[in-house]
Amino acid sequence: MTSLYVHVPFCPTICPYCDFHVVRRHRGVVEAYLHRLAEEAQALYAHHPDPLDTLYFGGGTPSFLRDREFEALFAALPWRLAPRAEVTLEANPGTLDPARLEHLKALGVNRISIGVQSFQDPVLKTLGRAHGRKGAFRAVELAQEAGLRVSIDLILGLPGQDVAADLREAVQLEVGHVSAYTLQIEPGTPFAVRGLEPDPEREAAALEQAEAILGEAGLVRYEVSNFARPGEEARHNQVYWRAGFWAALGPAAAGHYPAANEAYSVRTTNPPLPRWLAGEPPQREAIPPLEHAKEALMLGLRTREGVDLEALEARTGLMLWPALEPIAARLEAAGLLEVAERRLRPTRAGLMRLHPVILALWEALEA
């Protein structure tokens, strides 16, 4: 177990499209969070003490913490970092300045993921973001000047958005990684209450623009929504897409651990902040080998590297290829899959039509 996710739930503002577990800070809550996190980390470390190859602070807005709180956050984690470990911290533009970035770097952060979302002020206003165009540019430039690897998030396919302009400005900034998402309208969010609905055709066109504009600049689409220059891929996120194991700390954080019985693995999900602070244990879900195989197909086919079925069979003890070979051949003939030495990779058309491809493979496994 060499990857760790730490959830930092605090945000200065809560965006109207957000359905992550986020809270506003109030008196004493950050101190209580840090104390509980240190307890949880010590208990987890007792079972999983290996040095970390990837460490990811997600949120929320981890960069919203104060300097002394960052120090306490890192002090709460007893793990050593492996040589060349990737340490990523999510940040919003308004929470970054040169001193803050140098402090993060001194603590061990070497990669920063900045929630830009757009470089257009009207779009940012619609999204309820606290920063503007100038703030987005400044945050990226400061992170680059600090010597950090920089990834930015963009939301594409929004009403009134000039998608190409946002993508070209990301290219102009010469960032190493872009996560380009379409807006998901989740139940219970203010956007859902207002009756907003996505436009699948506009979103598909936006992702095609992303592939063209970012690809021309050398950022390869290595996952459905992620583009990177060679060597700038998100190593932590690749653990997820490869259906690997990772530990998790913090309220609402989800981890994936090896199982000690007939199940392949165990997924844990921590409770929300109040119950987590009270010491409530995580929910545990046993993942049988077949369920893991289905998840591995779904996640792996989101990536250009695809799924190595021989390795998946070795992990699960299941014979998958006899059931999958006929449908894989049909999907290959339809131009949606590449099949080579029992490795399945999505074609460009397959990435655009991923849902039916995955359903067809799942149905073959369940037959």
Side-chain angles (χ1 to χ4, degrees):
M1 186 77 68
T2 59
S3 291
L4 174 65
Y5 173 82
V6 180
H7 189 70
V8 183
F10 307 106
C11 267
T13 60
I14 299 177
C15 300
Y17 56 85
C18 179
D19 77 329
F20 294 123
H21 181 57
V22 297
V23 297
R24 303 253 181 119
R25 64 182 300 154
H26 54 81
R27 185 178 179 85
V29 69
V30 177
E31 290 79 2
Y33 161 83
L34 291 167
H35 178 75
R36 175 75 181 95
L37 189 79
E39 292 179 338
E40 187 181 35
Q42 287 292 339
L44 185 62
Y45 178 75
H47 297 284
H48 303 285
D50 293 337
L52 297 176
D53 184 56
T54 70
L55 172 57
Y56 194 103
F57 296 95
T61 306
S63 60
F64 184 43
L65 295 180
R66 297 164 183 159
D67 285 352
R68 59 178 174 77
E69 293 165 347
F70 277 122
E71 292 165 8
L73 177 65
F74 277 82
L77 306 179
W79 289 269
R80 291 185 298 109
L81 294 175
R84 296 180 296 280
E86 176 188 87
V87 182
T88 303
L89 183 125
E90 292 183 347
N92 280 346
T95 61
L96 298 178
D97 59 41
R100 164 60 52 84
L101 287 161
E102 288 300 327
H103 190 225
L104 291 172
K105 190 175 174 182
L107 288 169
V109 174
N110 53 31
R111 183 175 182 272
I112 196 155
S113 178
I114 303 177
V116 168
Q117 317 309 0
S118 176
F119 295 101
Q120 299 163 47
D121 284 331
V123 175
L124 290 168
K125 184 177 181 180
T126 298
L127 292 172
R129 303 295 288 173
H131 67 276
R133 169 185 171 82
K134 291 182 179 179
F137 272 105
R138 183 62 176 154
V140 173
E141 290 166 348
L142 287 174
Q144 291 171 324
E145 290 169 5
L148 297 169
R149 294 172 59 202
V150 178
S151 174
I152 66 169
D153 286 357
L154 294 177
I155 298 178
L156 304 182
L158 298 167
Q161 180 185 28
D162 185 338
V163 171
D166 269 341
L167 293 166
R168 284 194 294 267
E169 291 187 315
V171 168
Q172 182 181 358
L173 283 168
E174 298 183 343
V175 295
H177 190 283
V178 176
S179 295
Y181 304 106
T182 55
L183 185 64
Q184 303 297 310
I185 307 296
E186 301 293 348
T189 62
F191 273 9
V193 171
R194 286 158 52 183
L196 297 181
E197 294 184 358
D199 183 331
E201 289 187 7
R202 183 173 63 221
E203 291 174 350
L207 288 175
E208 287 186 5
Q209 284 182 286
E211 188 170 34
I213 294 172
L214 297 177
E216 185 178 357
L219 289 115
V220 177
R221 189 183 192 184
Y222 74 107
E223 193 268 347
V224 167
S225 300
N226 287 272
F227 302 76
R229 302 184 191 279
E232 289 297 318
E233 296 85 359
R235 284 163 45 200
H236 184 86
N237 289 345
Q238 285 179 315
V239 175
Y240 303 152
W241 301 325
R242 292 169 178 164
F245 297 121
W246 69 93
L249 298 173
H256 186 221
Y257 302 86
N261 50 36
E262 342 35 85
Y264 174 79
S265 61
V266 174
R267 181 185 295 115
T268 66
T269 305
N270 277 345
L273 182 66
R275 287 158 35 202
W276 177 79
L277 287 175
E280 181 178 318
Q283 292 184 347
R284 298 172 62 85
E285 178 188 4
I287 308 298
L290 180 58
E291 185 66 23
H292 170 73
K294 291 170 62 180
E295 289 187 1
L297 279 170
M298 175 187 69
L299 294 166
L301 288 176
R302 291 180 59 89
T303 70
R304 284 295 192 189
E305 71 178 18
V307 180
D308 182 342
L309 286 176
E310 189 172 356
L312 185 55
E313 287 178 334
R315 293 207 306 268
T316 61
L318 301 174
M319 293 299 294
L320 305 170
W321 184 237
L324 292 176
E325 184 177 14
I327 187 61
R330 289 200 292 273
L331 292 167
E332 184 178 34
L336 301 175
L337 276 187
E338 296 173 1
V339 183
E341 297 181 354
R342 295 169 66 180
R343 178 180 287 275
L344 307 183
R345 294 186 182 90
T347 62
R348 183 176 182 277
L351 280 177
M352 296 297 184
R353 297 179 56 196
L354 198 54
H355 186 65
V357 169
I358 291 168
L359 284 181
L361 295 169
W362 281 6
E363 289 170 1
L365 288 178
E366 292 168 350

